[in-house]
Amino acid sequence: MPKTTNDGASSPPDPTLSGGVDATVSAEGGGRSGRSGSSGSSALSSGAGDGSEARGSADSAGSVGEPGRRSDSGGRAIAARKKQYVIAPRQPDGLQAMSFQPLQFSALEQALRSSHDIEVVDTVGPKSVLGALADGMGGSQGVLVARMTEQKAAVLHQQGQGRLLVEQDQHLNLMEPGLRQPALVTGMMPAAAGGPVLNAVISVVGKDGAPQAEAEVSLFGSMLPASGVTDANGQVTLSLFGETPDSVRGLYVKPKADYWSFYQRDPDISTDEANVVGLRALSDWPSLAGFPRQRAYGWGQKAMRLDQLPGNYRGQGIKIAIIDSGAATTHANLRGIKAGFDVLNKKTNPDGWDQDTLGHGSHCAGVIAAADIASGIRGFAPDAEVHACKLFPGGQISQLIDALEYCIDKQIDVVNLSLGGAEVSEALEQQIVRAKRAGIACIVAAGNSGGAVQYPASSPNVLAVAAVGKLDEFPADSYHAQTLDQNVDAYGYFTAKFSCFGPQVAVCGPGVAITSCVPPNNFAAWDGTSMATPHITGLAALTLAHHPDFQTPQYKARGAERVERLFQLIRASAHRVSLGDQSRTGFGLPDVLVAVGLQTQAGQQPAQAVAPQAATLAPMMAGQPLGGSLGGNFAGLMGNLGGAPVYDPLALDMARAQFAAYGGWPPLHVGAFPLPKPYNPIMW
């Protein structure tokens, strides 16, 4: 659950925030009824001067840990640094019931900039008149990004009286599963002297013994693991403290590109000579024979029947944004990507979106829209207009809000979000709602922690995607085999161990051993809900471009109703896979031919049009805010209203309503799908 706004700090509000939100409210001339004084407002008023008295009190209280102060023993004492916060007016959806007027963005910005101890580092808002009016609200949307102490943030939040969002600008993560350590690995560090040390040289080679540079190698023992990257000779030396050859539990190798990963449980490690790992080339696998010289469909694309789609179904006229690590246009399959936005470097190099140092965004882009050329792979929608928004490495909530603002301005149709954060963000949710009202469908990875669905996939305003794998689509000695769980159906489909689960999961996508593009002009097979989500994004683009519903006036017009109809068609096109709990797969694996309207799902009625009230659902934050994280006075006020909606962070009520509307989980119908032969476990 979300933490408190000030990260759990129990210190009293800092009285040195002069002006603050009181100044903003005064500038507006009202909006609150029956407001009484409080300790927070008194503290704010007491600091309305230069703040010297308050600062003197703080100094005399003994702030030895304040940044920059010298300790008695010499040197610089360690203390908490200033943190970056996202500050935004709470939008009217959650305020009208209290007869509150939302804070005006311009007045808020002026108040914050006038405070000597708050540094406004960025302003994110509509990039044009089109963006300002995109959601039909005509309001003054935007967020401020500012640096301040936790105490300042606490005062600011309190003085907002429920009309102001003050959230720490949390860092986001790409949805690629981390390496799972073998069981019983502990975090203990043995003594530096006297304990055993295992030094092992790992040599990684490919075809014809060619050394593989920049391969990630990890050794696992009973305590801390050792990891490194191979040099130009394909070698790396790893040292495990407190281990012997007999206590090594696992060896993992992840090549940079063009080869399958490798994992060996209980490896026989030598300390006297190099330990050679011979990798298999991707093209050695039967389904990828001749790859990449000869074009191939990925197993996931074939499982969704993309290879059976008529050749003129290519996503024409649809705009797709991939908010990720960029897209390497040096890749032959990605040269058609002509537009983007480097959010990380928007002030210095906004066109740096085509530099992808991580490869993650390029991998997603390949699945979605790789060019239909003679080599490599073919994406779902090769004729769609793709925009690459670079958010990684180091992306934060405020920058994701900025990237979505770009999408609103460019009238993007579908956004791929293979990312997530540790906590729910109301400021981001407001932006997701704006995007949805502007007709933008957000397809989001459920997460790779193996736990509950992460945010923003847990939002009811997006389509959350879990990951499944399929047997016989990767070598048994690759790390992909470690993602297998016991829920394997008769056709070899299984739910991936790492995939998050919960009632918010709408559908699942192929997310194990997915081969796609990586820089500069190579291919790699990766796992993750990050890889599953682009499959559904590509399918969404095809559905918008070619399903008859979106040629009618009702759904051709951009808006939330159009987005809800798209989500409904994707869910209705899915069929059950795996034997596991359906909270791990949602309605199942979507089918391209059904989603674009060429076929009807066997045994199911066509999806009904979404009711207008469902299409214009209030955002998930419309009622009571997030517990202690964003609550304070606003939570108490909302509690007194009695009839106010309650914030549902897991969207349980919405999930139940969805399941009821669709008659529960759809049954497993295989008649319409040319499924492969049942999996023979003896061959594994």
Side-chain angles (χ1 to χ4, degrees):
M1 290 299 294
K3 300 177 183 176
T4 57
T5 303
N6 61 355
D7 286 349
S10 58
S11 55
D14 190 323
T16 62
L17 181 60
S18 61
V21 181
D22 272 335
T24 305
V25 176
S26 299
E28 293 175 337
R32 283 184 285 180
S33 59
R35 176 175 173 265
S36 61
S38 64
S39 60
S41 59
S42 299
L44 195 66
S45 300
S46 69
D50 62 3
S52 58
E53 181 181 350
R55 284 193 297 274
S57 300
D59 291 347
S60 61
S63 52
V64 66
E66 189 173 328
R69 288 190 173 272
R70 313 293 291 183
S71 68
D72 294 339
S73 59
R76 184 176 181 273
I78 295 295
R81 64 181 181 273
K82 285 186 176 182
K83 294 182 173 62
Q84 188 161 296
Y85 290 86
V86 175
I87 306 163
R90 181 174 269 123
Q91 293 306 315
D93 302 76
L95 299 172
Q96 290 171 339
M98 297 185 295
S99 300
F100 274 1
Q101 296 297 319
L103 294 172
Q104 293 300 310
F105 186 79
S106 58
L108 173 63
E109 181 178 5
Q110 181 180 0
L112 292 182
R113 289 189 183 277
S114 66
S115 178
H116 64 278
D117 42 13
I118 295 179
E119 177 191 0
V120 178
V121 297
D122 197 9
T123 302
V124 178
K127 301 180 183 300
S128 65
V129 175
L130 179 66
L133 302 177
D135 60 1
M137 296 173 61
S140 53
Q141 294 81 17
V143 302
L144 292 163
V145 186
R147 293 180 60 81
M148 67 187 82
T149 64
E150 295 175 355
Q151 291 84 357
K152 298 292 187 300
V155 169
L156 193 61
H157 172 252
Q158 184 179 12
Q159 291 302 297
Q161 295 278 315
R163 300 192 298 159
L164 190 66
L165 302 178
V166 183
E167 302 176 357
Q168 191 166 330
D169 194 7
Q170 62 175 302
H171 284 270
L172 298 166
N173 302 309
L174 288 170
M175 291 306 186
E176 185 180 13
L179 177 66
R180 293 179 177 271
Q181 301 178 8
L184 302 179
V185 173
T186 72
M188 295 185 298
M189 173 65 78
V197 179
L198 184 149
N199 294 306
V201 177
I202 310 297
S203 179
V204 182
V205 298
K207 269 191 171 182
D208 303 321
Q212 296 301 302
E214 299 183 60
E216 300 173 24
V217 183
S218 295
L219 269 180
F220 298 96
S222 56
M223 289 183 280
L224 293 176
S227 299
V229 178
T230 57
D231 59 19
N233 297 317
Q235 291 192 342
V236 61
T237 300
L238 301 178
S239 298
L240 282 173
F241 293 93
E243 306 288 352
T244 66
D246 292 334
S247 66
V248 177
R249 306 292 183 86
L251 169 63
Y252 166 68
V253 178
K254 180 183 178 182
K256 184 179 180 181
D258 302 329
Y259 287 88
W260 293 101
S261 62
F262 174 83
Y263 184 80
Q264 177 62 59
R265 192 188 304 271
D266 300 326
D268 184 10
I269 296 295
S270 171
T271 58
D272 300 323
E273 57 184 333
N275 299 271
V276 180
V277 175
L279 300 179
R280 302 170 185 251
L282 294 176
S283 57
D284 288 345
W285 198 245
S287 62
L288 294 175
F291 179 81
R293 292 186 303 276
Q294 297 178 7
R295 191 193 68 185
Y297 285 98
W299 76 262
Q301 294 170 323
K302 289 186 285 189
M304 294 172 65
R305 297 207 291 174
L306 177 65
D307 58 328
Q308 299 179 39
L309 191 67
N312 60 326
Y313 284 63
R314 305 166 62 85
Q316 303 93 321
I318 300 301
K319 295 181 180 180
I320 305 170
I322 303 169
I323 302 179
D324 212 287
S325 61
T329 55
T330 55
H331 201 290
N333 288 112
L334 303 180
R335 288 174 186 160
I337 302 178
K338 304 294 185 182
F341 175 39
D342 188 339
V343 191
L344 297 174
N345 304 293
K346 67 176 184 178
K347 295 180 181 179
T348 57
N349 185 26
D351 296 326
W353 54 267
D354 58 354
Q355 306 298 312
D356 184 4
T357 58
L358 301 179
H360 194 273
S362 300
H363 200 279
C364 293
V367 173
I368 295 170
D372 188 8
I373 57 178
S375 61
I377 63 171
R378 185 224 151 150
F380 277 80
D383 284 0
E385 179 182 317
V386 177
H387 294 244
C389 295
K390 185 174 181 178
L391 190 65
F392 293 96
Q396 294 177 265
I397 288 289
S398 61
Q399 293 165 324
L400 178 51
I401 292 173
D402 204 358
L404 288 173
E405 196 63 55
Y406 170 91
C407 295
I408 292 171
D409 183 62
K410 298 297 183 182
Q411 294 191 293
I412 298 297
D413 296 294
V414 187
V415 174
N416 188 90
L417 293 168
S418 293
L419 51 79
E423 303 174 10
V424 175
S425 165
E426 187 173 353
L428 175 57
E429 188 65 23
Q430 288 189 165
Q431 186 74 330
I432 290 173
V433 170
R434 283 193 68 229
K436 183 176 180 181
R437 287 171 173 163
I440 298 173
C442 293
I443 316 292
V444 188
N448 299 328
S449 68
V453 173
Q454 298 180 6
Y455 185 78
S458 59
S459 164
N461 296 296
V462 306
L463 191 81
V465 182
V468 295
K470 189 170 183 294
L471 299 179
D472 295 331
E473 297 295 346
F474 48 82
D477 61 356
S478 68
Y479 187 70
H480 308 297
Q482 303 303 309
T483 70
L484 178 67
D485 71 2
Q486 69 273 23
N487 298 314
V488 185
D489 69 12
Y491 304 98
Y493 292 103
F494 61 88
T495 54
K497 273 185 181 179
F498 56 78
S499 184
C500 287
F501 57 89
Q504 307 91 337
V505 171
V507 294
C508 58
V512 175
I514 303 303
T515 301
S516 188
C517 311
V518 293
N521 192 25
N522 301 85
F523 297 88
W526 290 353
D527 306 328
T529 54
S530 273
M531 283 62 254
T533 303
H535 285 78
I536 310 305
T537 298
L539 173 110
L542 290 174
T543 305
L544 280 174
H546 305 293
H547 194 283
D549 277 14
F550 298 105
Q551 310 309 314
T552 65
Q554 181 180 10
Y555 296 119
K556 197 168 186 179
R558 299 181 66 87
E561 189 176 3
R562 178 177 186 244
V563 173
E564 280 296 332
R565 181 57 176 165
L566 172 64
F567 290 169
Q568 190 180 38
L569 289 171
I570 292 173
R571 289 189 294 257
S573 77
H575 61 98
R576 288 275 301 269
V577 290
S578 95
L579 305 176
D581 181 354
Q582 293 308 114
S583 68
R584 294 184 175 274
T585 56
F587 283 83
L589 183 66
D591 179 87
V592 172
L593 300 183
V594 177
V596 300
L598 290 177
Q599 291 187 10
T600 301
Q601 181 75 282
Q604 292 187 10
Q605 296 296 321
Q608 298 299 311
V610 63
Q613 62 268 27
T616 55
L617 287 170
M620 64 191 294
M621 310 300 179
Q624 179 178 331
L626 297 174
S629 165
L630 301 168
N633 295 335
F634 184 63
L637 288 169
M638 289 300 291
N640 294 331
L641 292 175
V646 177
Y647 169 56
D648 180 16
L650 296 181
L652 295 175
D653 292 336
M654 177 165 291
R656 295 188 188 102
Q658 283 181 354
F659 296 170
Y662 288 89
W665 294 109
L668 177 59
H669 295 291
V670 298
F673 300 93
L675 296 173
K677 296 178 181 179
Y679 167 66
N680 181 357
I682 299 176
M683 299 299 292
W684 176 242

